């Protein structure tokens, strides 16, 4: 998705447009801690309300030690399609990585979320080499 690409973020959309995957290296000065989850959830609720989608399950933290914060939300899109969105925050070196997967994939959701998890877990810190 060219319109959503930045120097620190890339976004892919599935061929059938049922899912979107975003991988973003957060700014170097941004620190993610579990205590931030309630504020993140409030922001997600506000963004969902602005989008016109109807929440079917409020964003909720899912305990998983592989991520600093893992949040899932369920909603119904304006066109009536049920959707889910997964937000994965992970420390990679001194920075934090945010992987987000938004899906309307129905029976494909499990595989699409597995791809998001794999993308997040595959990131590794590589020490810069001297020139």
């Amino acid at each position: 998705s060219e319109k959503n690409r930045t120097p620190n973020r890339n976004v892919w959309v599935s061929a059938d447009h049922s899912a979107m995957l975003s991988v973003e290296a957060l700014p170097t000065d941004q620190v993610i801690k579990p205590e931030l989850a309630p504020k993140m959830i409030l922001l997600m609720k506000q963004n969902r309300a602005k989008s016109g989608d109807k929440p079917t399950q409020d964003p909720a933290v899912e305990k998983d030690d592989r991520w600093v914060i893992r949040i899932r939300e369920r909603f119904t899109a304006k066109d009536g399609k049920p959707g889910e969105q997964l937000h994965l925050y992970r420390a990679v070196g001194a920075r934090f990585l945010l992987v987000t997967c938004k899906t309307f994939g129905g029976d494909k959701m499990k595989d699409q979320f597995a791809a998001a998890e794999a993308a997040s877990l595959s990131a590794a810190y590589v020490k810069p080499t001297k020139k």
Side-chain angles (χ1 to χ4, degrees):
S1 174
E2 291 295 326
K3 71 178 184 171
N4 292 308
R5 183 178 292 168
T6 71
N8 291 323
R9 178 182 58 220
N10 213 336
V11 179
W12 296 270
V13 178
S14 63
D16 65 358
H17 296 273
S18 68
M20 175 277 306
L21 177 70
S22 170
V23 178
E24 180 174 6
L26 298 178
T28 55
D29 63 343
Q30 191 167 0
V31 178
I32 302 298
K33 297 178 183 178
E35 301 82 41
L36 295 173
K39 288 182 182 179
M40 293 173 169
I41 287 172
L42 180 61
L43 248 145
M44 289 173 192
K45 287 179 179 181
Q46 291 169 347
N47 289 338
R48 187 70 53 211
K50 287 178 189 175
S51 74
D53 297 338
K54 294 179 184 170
T56 55
Q57 177 183 324
D58 281 340
V61 173
E62 296 180 339
K63 180 72 174 128
D64 191 321
D65 293 335
R66 297 175 294 175
W67 290 280
V68 177
I69 299 175
R70 175 188 175 107
I71 299 174
R72 182 185 311 258
E73 56 182 320
R74 292 181 172 94
F75 59 92
T76 301
K78 290 183 275 192
D79 64 3
K81 288 183 184 177
E84 288 189 34
Q85 191 158 325
L86 183 64
H87 309 264
L88 305 169
Y89 295 85
R90 183 170 164 258
V92 180
R95 293 184 78 169
F96 289 86
L97 184 73
L98 167 59
V99 174
T100 305
C101 181
K102 181 177 183 178
T103 177
F104 299 97
D107 59 348
K108 297 178 189 176
M109 283 183 184
K110 185 177 178 181
D111 292 337
Q112 291 164 340
F113 285 150
E117 291 175 345
S120 176
L121 295 171
S122 72
Y125 174 74
V126 177
K127 188 175 180 178
T129 57
K130 293 182 180 179
K131 291 184 182 183

